[in-house]
Amino acid sequence: MLKITNLRCEYLRNPLGVRALHPRLSWQVESNQRGFVQQSWHILAATEHELLDSGRADLWDSGLVQGAEQVVELPALPGDGERVWWKVEVRDNEGGAVWSGEAWFETEFPEKNWEADWLGFPGNWPGSALRFRKAFTVKGKVKRARLYAAGVGWNELWLNGRRVSDRVLDPPQSDYAKRIYASADIVEKLLRQGENVLGVRGGYGWYGTVRIKAHLRIEYEDGRVETVTSNANVINNWQVAQDPAILQSVYGGEVFDARLDDQFWCTPGHSTESWPRAQYMGGPGGKVESTIMQPMRVRRNMLPAALSQPKPGVWVADFGQNQAGWVRLRVRGDRGRRVVLHFAESLYEDGTVNQENLHRAEVMDTYILKGGEIEQWEPSFTYHGFRYVQIDGWPGEPGREDLVACLVCTEVEDAGSFASSNELLNRIHELVRQTELSNLPSIPADCPQRAERMGWLNDMAARSEELMYNFAPDRLLAKWMADIADAQDELGRITDTAPFHWGAHPADPVSVCYLLDPWLIYTHMGDKRLLEERFQGMRAWVDFLAGERQDGLVHYSYWGDWSPPAGRPVSPPEGDSPINSETPGALVSTACLAYSARLLSQIAGVLGRKSIAAKYMALFEEVALEFNAAFWDEAAGGYGKNNQSANAIALYMGLVPEDRLLSTAENLYQRVEEADFHLKTGNICTKYLLEALSQTGRSDLALRIALQKDYPSWGYMLANGATTLWERWEKATGRAMNSHNHPMMGSVGSWLYRWLAGIRVHPAGAGFSRFSVNPEILDGLDWVKASLETVKGRIRVEWERRKGTLHLLVEVPVGSQAEIGIPCAGWGVIREGRACIWKDEAPGRPAAGLISLERMGPRVRVRTGSGVYRFQAEL
Ligand code: BGC
C-alpha cells in the first residue's frame, strides 16, 4: 500500500487568498512497508482542472526530482486571484509509484485591484452595528465569482439573504493602522439571474467603529468580467441602516433588538428606499492583505449541564465547562420582552452569578423579542468567557435545549493526544487543552472574560511549546509574529502585548516568544520562512536588550516570573502584587537576554549566516558569565535567593557552567523537597522547573509536582472545580486579579508529551525528520498513550508495563527516522514483534525498518525508519 494524503498549500487545505510569492506545497506519504523512503517526486500544476486531468501542466511540471522532501516551493508565479490545481507523484526505489488526488489553492487578489474605498456612516446610531447593502444585476451564465472583503472591527458578509461563510469575529485582529486582513469567498452558487443584493453587517470589534471595503468579481462564461465594489464613484448605490445589534462591544456584550430585524434586508426585490446612503470615510490606514491563517468559527455547541432558579424568575445555566464564546438561545414570548444574559465564571453562595473578577467588562447580552414565533439568536459582535449564564426576563421556564453554549476559537487543528493510567494527569491535560481553546481569538490571548483579552508576550514564553504539541497553531503564530513586528519600533523595542493595547513598551525581557515561536515552528515543521521574515526584527530586539545592560545585567523587569504561589491557598487581597519577590527581576531579564541571544545564534546558523551566529553565541557566553558573576551564591550553591525559579531558569537556559551543574541540580531537588514536592514558580519558571528536573534526570520529581492535589498545584485547581486553568495558584473569586481561564500556567502540557511519552524533535531533525522517543517509565504510571500529527504524518507512542515487561509501540511516519530509547538493564533482552533484536549487549536478529542499535547508558537506542514497531523489554 502506497498512498499520498494531506495535500496542503501554505500548510492549509485548498486555501483561498494565498499571498506567498512562492507558495509551499506539501503532502504526506502512507506506506505499510517499513522504512519506506520516497525516492523521487513529481509535481504537476495547472490553471485549469481539465488541463491537470489530462496531464498538461501549463503552470509547472517539475519533472521527476530525486529526493525525500515533502514540502516544495512552487517556482511559478500564478496570476492575481487565480486558481492553481496541482497533484504529486511519489516513487520508491523498487518501482512503486503513485499519484495523489488533486488539490488546489487560489492566490491573493490584491487590494490594488479592488477599486474599492472604505465605507462607513457618520453618526446617527452611536454604539450600534451597521448594515450595508448594495443591489446589482447579474445577466448571463456565471463561471466564477469571488467576494473579497475587509471590514473592521468585525464583519459578516451576506449575499441574497444568506450568510456567505460561517466565520465569526472576522477578520483577525491586527494593528489596523499597519495592516488589515481581507477574506476571500467563493460565491457563484449564491448568485442568481437578475437582481442580487450584497450585504455586510459591520461591528466595532477591536477597532471601535465600523468601516467596510468589498470587491465582488463576477466572471461570466462568455468572458465578461463585472465587479461590484465599495467604490466612491458609485457610492450612492450603497445603502446603510442601523443593525438590530443596537449596542455592541467586545467587553460590554450585545443588545439585539429583534423588532428592528428586517429579515429581508439583503433580499433582492425588497424596498429599502428609506435607507440612507453609505458614505466614503477614511480607512484605518493599514495595508489590506489577505489573511494567512485559519478563521475563527464556532468549534463546539454544548447544552447546560444544569439549570437552576436561584430567585423567582432568575435562571442560571451551568455549562459545566469554562469557555469562550456566547450562548445561542431559542425563545418564544411577547414582542418587546427583554431577555438578559449575564456571563460569569463563578457563582455566589445563593446561586447567582459572581462577576467581580471581570473588572470593567459588563459581559452581558440582551435580546429584545420580536414576538410571536420561536426566535433563535446568537450575538455577532462580542464574546464572553464563562461557565455560567444568569438569565433575567425569560418568558416562562427555559428548557436545556433553549440555551446552547458556543465555543469560538481560531480553527487550529488538533495536533496531539495524551492519555495515561493516571486520571489526574489526564484531567490536567484536558484542563490545558480547554484553556487554550478558549484563548485563541486570532491571537494567543491571556484570558477571555475580563476587560483584557490581550496577546501577552510574557505568557507565551511558557505556552508556545505546549500549543505546538496540542494544536497546530503555526499559521496563527506566524500571523501573531506580524502583530509583534508591527508594534516594534525603530529602536528594536517590542511591546508587552501584540497588537499593542496594554502593558509596557519596551516589553518585559521575558518576551522570548518573538524568537522562540519562529524557532519552534522551524524545529517542529522544518519551516525556515518565518525565521527569514522575522530575522531583522528579532535581531533588533536582542540588540536593544543587550544595549540595556548596566554592569553586565539587564535590570529592567516588570513581571519577571509572574504570579507564583502567594503562600496561602485562598484569595489574595486586592492589590496584592503577583510579582515574584523571591526571584530578582534582573536575574530573569538577564537570563532571558542570554537565552534570546542563543536562540538568535541558532536561527542565524540555520539561515547560513555564520558570522552572525558566532557573534550572538559570543553574546550568550558573555551574558552567561555576567549572570554567574552576579547571581551565583557560592555558599548556598545556587542562584539568586537559591529558590526553585532561579535555579530552574539557570539550568534550562544553559547558563550553569559545567562544574556547577551537579550542585545546582542537587540544589534544585532540595528546593523541591523542601516545598514538600510542590512548585513555587510563576508563569515563566514553571516550565523551566519541570524541564530542568527532567533534563537532569529527575522526571520522578517533576511527576510528583504534577500529581499534587493540594495547594499549589494543578490538582488543587481541579479539586476546587476548575475546568480551565486559573491565573493564580490560589483559589480566588473576588475583585483581585483572578481569571479562571488563563493558559499561562499550562506548560505542564508540553512536559507530558516531551517526557512521559518522550516525543522530542531531534536538534538536527527539523520538521520531525528525526525525532527521539525516550519515555520516562516512572513509578506510579502503568501506561501512557500519546500521538502527534506532524508535517510528515502521525507519530504514535504507547507504552505499558505488564508483569515486569515494557511493551512499547512506536509509529514513525514516512519521511522520519526515530531514535527510540528503550530502558534495558545490562544483559537484558529486547524484542520487536517476534524477533529478538538485542541480546548479550549486542544487536540480535535484524528486523525490517531497524537501522541500528546501540547501548546508551541505561537505554538501548534503536534507530528506525518509518513504520509501526512493537517492542518488548524486561524491566
Ligand atoms: C495578564 C497576564 C500577564 C500579566 C503580566 C495580566 O494582566 O492577564 O496574562 O502575564 O498581566 O504581564
Side-chain angles (χ1 to χ4, degrees):
M1 185 271 295
L2 179 58
K3 213 166 110 189
I4 305 177
T5 58
N6 227 345
L7 267 61
R8 307 264 176 134
C9 173
E10 289 294 304
Y11 305 108
L12 298 167
R13 215 167 271 156
N14 297 343
L16 293 166
V18 168
R19 186 151 39 91
L21 222 47
H22 296 295
R24 286 160 294 184
L25 307 178
S26 59
W27 62 92
Q28 292 174 359
V29 180
E30 284 176 21
S31 161
N32 51 7
Q33 178 198 325
R34 279 189 179 176
F36 179 88
V37 177
Q38 169 189 295
Q39 285 299 320
S40 52
W41 53 270
H42 180 186
I43 291 180
L44 295 181
T47 51
E48 297 286 343
H49 186 231
E50 294 71 34
L51 290 176
L52 188 69
D53 248 4
S54 55
R56 278 175 295 149
D58 61 337
L59 205 60
W60 189 43
D61 181 342
S62 70
L64 200 61
V65 183
Q66 296 295 316
E69 47 277 78
Q70 289 166 257
V71 183
V72 169
E73 281 190 4
L74 181 71
L77 281 186
D80 289 348
E82 220 168 73
R83 177 171 288 204
V84 175
W85 292 88
W86 68 280
K87 62 181 176 182
V88 59
E89 181 196 16
V90 161
R91 296 192 183 178
D92 64 18
N93 54 1
E94 282 155 21
V98 67
W99 276 98
S100 70
E102 290 166 1
W104 55 265
F105 67 91
E106 287 185 14
T107 58
E108 178 181 32
F109 191 73
E111 186 199 14
K112 64 176 168 38
N113 301 340
W114 287 21
E115 304 141 25
D117 297 310
W118 289 103
L119 300 185
F121 193 63
N124 276 358
W125 308 292
S128 177
L130 299 176
R131 278 179 173 179
F132 298 85
R133 81 191 298 275
K134 156 95 179 138
F136 60 97
T137 310
V138 169
K139 235 192 240 157
K141 202 152 192 277
V142 175
K143 183 176 166 207
R144 181 178 192 262
R146 298 290 178 271
L147 175 58
Y148 305 103
V152 287
W154 289 323
N155 71 68
E156 252 179 44
L157 304 172
W158 291 66
L159 250 179
N160 297 330
R162 287 170 59 190
R163 282 281 294 276
V164 166
S165 95
D166 56 1
R167 290 188 298 271
V168 297
L169 308 183
D170 197 61
Q173 57 166 303
S174 56
D175 177 345
Y176 304 113
K178 299 258 170 69
R179 70 180 90 210
I180 300 150
Y181 288 106
S183 55
D185 287 289
I186 299 174
V187 295
E188 52 260 12
K189 293 219 170 81
L190 294 174
L191 295 176
R192 37 176 265 168
Q193 289 302 305
E195 193 187 321
N196 287 257
V197 179
L198 172 59
V200 184
R201 293 183 68 207
Y204 288 12
W206 293 100
Y207 187 50
T209 183
V210 179
R211 293 286 183 279
I212 64 148
K213 194 172 206 179
H215 180 95
L216 170 62
R217 188 170 194 275
I218 306 170
E219 287 173 35
Y220 290 95
E221 292 280 2
D222 61 13
R224 276 180 303 134
V225 174
E226 274 175 8
T227 57
V228 178
T229 69
S230 55
N231 185 304
N233 298 328
V234 288
I235 190 153
N236 288 340
N237 295 331
W238 281 81
Q239 294 175 296
V240 63
Q242 184 182 25
D243 188 89
I246 54 173
L247 280 176
Q248 38 83 43
S249 76
V250 180
Y251 299 149
E254 190 168 312
V255 178
F256 191 94
D257 190 342
R259 293 170 303 182
L260 301 179
D261 191 13
D262 174 357
Q263 282 175 356
F264 304 105
W265 69 280
C266 129
T267 306
H270 188 58
S271 163
T272 49
E273 267 161 33
S274 61
W275 287 34
R277 305 294 175 202
Q279 295 192 18
Y280 167 63
M281 312 268 284
K287 181 179 175 307
V288 173
E289 56 185 44
S290 144
T291 173
I292 53 165
M293 63 185 284
Q294 300 91 335
M296 290 185 70
R297 292 190 213 274
V298 171
R299 186 177 171 122
R300 182 186 65 208
N301 293 310
M302 198 181 240
L303 295 181
L307 255 178
S308 60
Q309 192 181 186
K311 288 192 216 160
V314 173
W315 300 90
V316 171
D318 173 3
F319 290 94
Q321 173 65 56
N322 202 326
Q323 55 195 296
W326 49 71
V327 166
R328 183 190 311 132
L329 49 84
R330 199 181 61 178
V331 63
R332 185 180 194 157
D334 295 339
R335 187 174 176 82
R337 180 181 261 275
R338 299 171 83 91
V339 173
V340 185
L341 309 177
H342 306 269
F343 297 81
E345 296 188 300
S346 61
L347 297 179
Y348 288 117
E349 292 271 293
D350 68 0
T352 58
V353 291
N354 176 348
Q355 294 188 314
E356 288 179 40
N357 67 337
L358 307 181
H359 302 162
R360 283 181 299 107
E362 273 176 274
V363 291
M364 175 176 105
D365 287 343
T366 304
Y367 182 72
I368 305 172
L369 273 70
K370 183 180 269 184
E373 302 297 305
I374 292 181
E375 301 170 44
Q376 183 165 305
W377 174 78
E378 63 198 285
S380 302
F381 303 116
T382 191
Y383 74 101
H384 314 289
F386 64 100
R387 169 177 169 168
Y388 304 96
V389 60
Q390 178 170 314
I391 307 137
D392 295 337
W394 193 273
E397 183 175 335
R400 276 181 68 227
E401 323 68 50
D402 296 331
L403 301 160
V404 179
C406 304
L407 170 73
V408 300
C409 184
T410 296
E411 203 175 35
V412 290
E413 289 171 65
D414 285 338
S417 68
F418 177 89
S420 74
S421 55
N422 187 297
E423 202 37 44
L424 179 54
L425 283 184
N426 302 343
R427 291 184 68 203
I428 293 171
H429 165 70
E430 195 49 26
L431 194 69
V432 173
R433 264 180 49 83
Q434 291 301 332
T435 314
E436 288 296 359
L437 286 175
S438 293
N439 283 290
L440 298 174
S442 85
I443 56 164
D446 60 338
C447 58
Q449 72 298 80
R450 67 178 175 222
E452 186 157 0
R453 315 181 196 183
M454 302 290 160
W456 281 92
L457 272 67
N458 63 332
D459 294 359
M460 280 297 283
R463 275 169 80 186
S464 302
E465 196 160 15
E466 168 269 301
L467 259 176
M468 291 296 292
Y469 273 97
N470 278 318
F471 300 98
D474 48 286
R475 295 307 85 200
L476 182 145
L477 293 181
K479 176 264 179 191
W480 193 55
M481 290 300 114
D483 292 333
I484 299 177
D486 282 348
Q488 188 167 24
D489 66 15
E490 60 293 346
L491 298 177
R493 301 177 302 181
I494 56 175
T495 50
D496 263 347
T497 57
F500 185 43
H501 298 287
W502 271 40
H505 180 209
D508 190 298
V510 295
S511 304
V512 296
C513 60
Y514 196 26
L515 296 107
L516 180 62
D517 290 9
W519 179 247
L520 285 171
I521 289 175
Y522 165 68
T523 50
H524 277 235
M525 304 183 62
D527 176 1
K528 289 187 194 171
R529 195 170 280 176
L530 201 57
L531 300 182
E532 270 155 18
E533 273 172 19
R534 297 293 156 229
F535 190 73
Q536 292 311 335
M538 298 191 272
R539 187 176 176 184
W541 169 238
V542 175
D543 287 346
F544 164 75
L545 285 180
E548 283 297 287
R549 282 174 299 168
Q550 285 167 4
D551 316 325
L553 305 181
V554 182
H555 289 275
Y556 90 88
S557 160
Y558 322 117
W559 327 110
D561 184 30
W562 179 248
S563 214
R568 53 192 178 290
V570 287
S571 291
E574 202 174 338
D576 185 37
S577 169
I579 289 176
N580 195 336
S581 55
E582 288 300 300
T583 309
L587 182 150
V588 178
S589 292
T590 306
C592 287
L593 165 60
Y595 181 57
S596 301
R598 205 180 53 177
L599 280 169
L600 188 63
S601 165
Q602 288 168 315
I603 291 167
V606 167
L607 297 180
R609 300 181 199 180
K610 284 198 186 131
S611 62
I612 302 182
K615 180 178 164 190
Y616 287 94
M617 193 44 91
L619 175 61
F620 164 75
E621 277 154 13
E622 188 184 312
V623 179
L625 279 179
E626 298 286 3
F627 177 90
N628 275 277
F631 298 113
W632 173 254
D633 180 340
E634 183 64 39
Y639 288 87
K641 291 192 190 166
N642 195 23
N643 63 351
Q644 290 181 4
S645 295
N647 289 317
I649 198 171
L651 282 165
Y652 181 82
M653 292 187 170
L655 300 168
V656 183
E658 207 56 44
D659 57 347
R660 286 178 186 160
L661 264 177
L662 269 181
S663 60
T664 309
E666 278 301 331
N667 211 323
L668 180 63
Y669 310 151
Q670 278 168 26
R671 302 288 76 79
V672 170
E673 211 176 313
E674 181 182 273
D676 195 19
F677 305 97
H678 288 73
L679 51 78
K680 290 197 144 194
T681 44
N683 64 347
I684 307 288
C685 290
T686 297
K687 170 172 174 174
Y688 307 146
L689 172 67
L690 298 179
E691 288 287 328
L693 289 170
S694 286
Q695 282 168 12
T696 59
R698 293 302 303 270
S699 286
D700 60 318
L701 288 183
L703 181 65
R704 252 181 114 164
I705 292 172
L707 288 180
Q708 290 298 349
K709 294 191 178 116
D710 57 351
Y711 172 80
S713 67
W714 295 281
Y716 177 73
M717 295 184 192
L718 285 164
N720 284 280
T723 56
T724 43
L725 293 156
W726 297 343
E727 177 176 25
R728 324 243 357 204
W729 294 110
E730 291 74 37
K731 182 176 186 199
T733 51
R735 289 197 49 76
M737 199 193 78
N738 71 88
S739 139
H740 291 211
N741 194 343
H742 223 84
M744 70 186 188
M745 297 302 190
S747 52
V748 61
S750 42
W751 182 82
L752 299 175
Y753 289 96
R754 285 171 51 77
W755 300 96
L756 297 187
I759 306 171
R760 300 194 288 277
V761 64
H762 192 283
F768 280 95
S769 54
R770 244 163 104 184
F771 64 95
S772 60
V773 177
N774 280 301
E776 299 274 5
I777 317 297
L778 299 171
D779 284 349
L781 271 187
D782 295 330
W783 58 265
V784 166
K785 287 183 185 175
S787 66
L788 185 65
E789 300 295 335
T790 72
V791 271
K792 306 284 185 204
R794 175 174 302 165
I795 293 174
R796 196 154 51 109
V797 173
E798 300 182 4
W799 64 260
E800 184 176 9
R801 213 201 295 253
R802 244 186 282 141
K803 295 193 190 132
T805 302
L806 174 71
H807 298 257
L808 171 65
L809 176 146
V810 180
E811 180 173 350
V812 183
V814 170
S816 291
Q817 282 192 5
E819 297 185 358
I820 306 163
I822 304 176
C824 179
W827 305 96
V829 168
I830 300 177
R831 291 177 186 284
E832 195 287 307
R834 293 223 188 94
C836 176
I837 58 167
W838 180 264
K839 204 178 150 196
D840 300 334
E841 286 304 292
R845 267 183 45 200
L850 300 192
I851 298 168
S852 65
L853 293 97
E854 63 185 308
R855 172 151 300 277
M856 301 281 285
R859 294 179 188 247
V860 170
R861 189 176 70 186
V862 183
R863 278 183 58 206
T864 78
S866 68
V868 180
Y869 301 87
R870 292 181 171 82
F871 302 100
Q872 287 168 45
E874 291 152 25
L875 282 170

